[in-house]
Amino acid sequence: MRLVIARCSVDYAGRLTAHLPSAPRLILVKADGSVSIHADDRAYKPLNWMSPPCTLKEGSGDDAGVWTVINKAGEKLIITMEEVLHDSSHELGVDPGLIKDGVEAHLQELLADRIETLGEGYTLIRREYMTAIGPVDILCRDADGQTVAVEIKRRGEIDGVEQLTRYLELLNRDPHLSPVKGIFAAQEIKPQARVLATDRGIGCAVLDYDALRGIEDDKLRLF
């Protein structure tokens, strides 16, 4: 991971345009190729970002100090450096992934045992399908035989959608699995997370914990 603290302005050009005026900011460049711009507030949420896969080109000559980040859709994030205050790189290695709490782990187990609740004809491939960036909660196939990756949370937020997006980008590189679609499953899904998931072609499933345990009616709403 590369950490850069700089006074910079940022311009985004894609489906819409956005401009961040000059100010001191933190720029994170991760090993997966993602680039995100942070201010000293808003908790973990970046001001702007580019998800992988994308390429970063650092300018030279008259364009020295200009970074251009381009994703596979041709969208651009242009970072104009005015003053670099800090620039360092750190090797973090492979992260073991988030250890789920008891409810999430149990939801995974229940859904794997009753995978057909996602849809008629669904079949389980395996739980905890390991990838180079961590385990996918559930890998299964739908009635048409298409591979489906399921990410399970107790409360579905944007970071969970981002996590599933990274898994899908990696899984779709495997010719034995692709095309792979995603389902983001949680007991509660925040509106912002639902909008992001829909924009990325990811389905959303609201899980009823008691129903999966057989305490109430057997229901699972898939949107």
Side-chain angles (χ1 to χ4, degrees), residues 112-170:
D113 287 342
R114 304 173 66 183
I115 197 65
E116 70 282 353
T117 55
L118 287 176
E120 185 177 353
Y122 270 68
T123 56
L124 179 69
I125 296 177
R126 66 167 298 165
R127 291 171 52 196
E128 298 287 333
Y129 184 88
M130 186 56 64
T131 74
I133 57 175
V136 177
D137 287 339
I138 291 177
L139 199 69
C140 56
R141 296 192 189 279
D142 66 13
D144 297 323
Q146 182 175 356
T147 309
V148 182
V150 184
E151 178 63 27
I152 299 172
K153 300 292 184 187
R154 181 166 58 178
R155 184 170 65 180
E157 300 190 39
I158 284 177
D159 57 346
V161 179
E162 294 285 5
Q163 182 180 0
L164 178 54
T165 299
R166 293 192 293 271
Y167 286 142
L168 290 172
E169 289 171 346
L170 187 63

